[in-house]
Amino acid sequence: GPRGGKPVLVLHSSSASRPAPSRLIAALQAAGFRPFAIDRPGFGLTDALNGVADPFAGACDDIRTVCAHLRFKRVDVVARGGAQVLMHLAHQSPELVGRAVLVAPDPSSRSSLAAPGILGTVKNAFRANTALIEPITRMLVATLQATNVRDLVLRTVRDSPPDVAVMKDARNLSDYYRGFQMFLSGRVGGYVREQAALATLPDPPAKPDAGHWHVLIGARDPL
């Protein structure tokens, strides 16, 4: 809600699921928008797509189904990562996508240099051998189950002062934890497929008219 607000689809990143940051939701609602979010295939409790080469393109079917059910003819989008999904959706259904804000969109792993540190090491491993993505992911999930999440997150982003400040806020950390909590069930198929796609598949089609789109990238980025 609110039901009378202009609908805004909140796309989750590859390392999260549909729960969106509570401050983002509150800000959108206060501005008169109606935010909504869904899990992509293989995330949360959603079944994976079998036989689909591009998980980002395949995810658009569910978005269209939900929009049709809710009678949304056109939606604005906030993409937290998830840029490839938005690009495919705009290509497949241009009439559905209105304004868009892309927050820290993931470049393809083929073309981007990984930063040093834990996340950079993991990204390099994924790019070098996609067969390593699932076992490494399951190892990281097991670490999350046995570790103080706050300490682990702060160590991971320690070289990015803005991220450290964000994660020291208890509400933000709680939202972050809630976003990846479903991975603890062992359902990591969606993440594995999307990470493999970032390393191997061509970029999605370019959007010829993106004058009403905005990209937000911080000066510091752990990745």
Side-chain angles (χ1 to χ4, degrees):
R3 284 184 174 271
K6 190 178 192 311
V8 177
L9 170 64
V10 181
L11 290 174
H12 64 76
S13 71
S14 291
S15 58
S17 54
R18 73 180 183 275
S22 58
R23 283 194 169 96
L24 171 63
I25 297 303
L28 289 170
Q29 290 172 327
F33 292 99
R34 181 185 180 182
F36 70 105
I38 65 172
D39 283 324
R40 292 199 289 277
F43 290 86
L45 296 177
T46 305
D47 292 334
L49 282 175
N50 294 316
V52 176
D54 191 323
F56 301 116
C60 297
D61 287 341
D62 285 352
I63 295 172
R64 282 188 290 267
T65 297
V66 170
C67 287
H69 176 74
L70 295 174
R71 300 179 182 177
F72 294 157
K73 301 296 184 184
R74 192 169 178 83
V75 299
D76 292 335
V77 181
V78 175
R80 304 167 51 236
Q84 286 76 11
V85 179
L86 178 56
M87 296 295 289
H88 279 293
L89 183 65
H91 177 72
Q92 296 175 15
S93 305
E95 74 289 345
L96 183 61
V97 179
R99 296 173 297 175
V101 176
L102 294 84
V103 183
D106 296 315
S108 66
S109 298
R110 307 178 314 280
S111 60
S112 64
L113 298 175
I118 298 173
L119 296 180
T121 300
V122 170
K123 187 173 182 178
N124 281 332
F126 286 2
R127 179 170 50 193
N129 185 354
T130 56
L132 295 175
I133 296 176
E134 183 166 352
I136 289 177
T137 300
R138 293 196 179 280
M139 179 186 69
L140 293 173
V141 168
T143 301
L144 288 172
Q145 291 175 316
T147 307
N148 181 306
V149 172
R150 181 180 183 276
D151 291 345
L152 178 63
V153 169
L154 289 177
R155 287 202 307 272
T156 301
V157 300
R158 63 188 176 189
D159 295 327
S160 175
D163 288 289
V164 171
V166 166
M167 287 306 177
K168 282 187 174 180
D169 182 293
R171 180 175 175 183
N172 293 336
L173 183 66
S174 176
D175 287 343
Y176 182 75
Y177 183 78
R178 189 165 55 99
F180 67 69
Q181 201 166 22
M182 286 307 304
F183 289 119
L184 303 181
S185 69
R187 296 172 66 95
V188 298
Y191 174 82
V192 170
R193 289 190 178 204
E194 289 194 358
Q195 291 299 312
L198 286 173
T200 60
L201 295 184
D203 293 332
K207 190 176 189 311
D209 176 19
H212 54 307
W213 287 27
H214 298 273
V215 179
L216 304 181
I217 301 177
R220 307 292 286 266
D221 185 347
L223 282 173

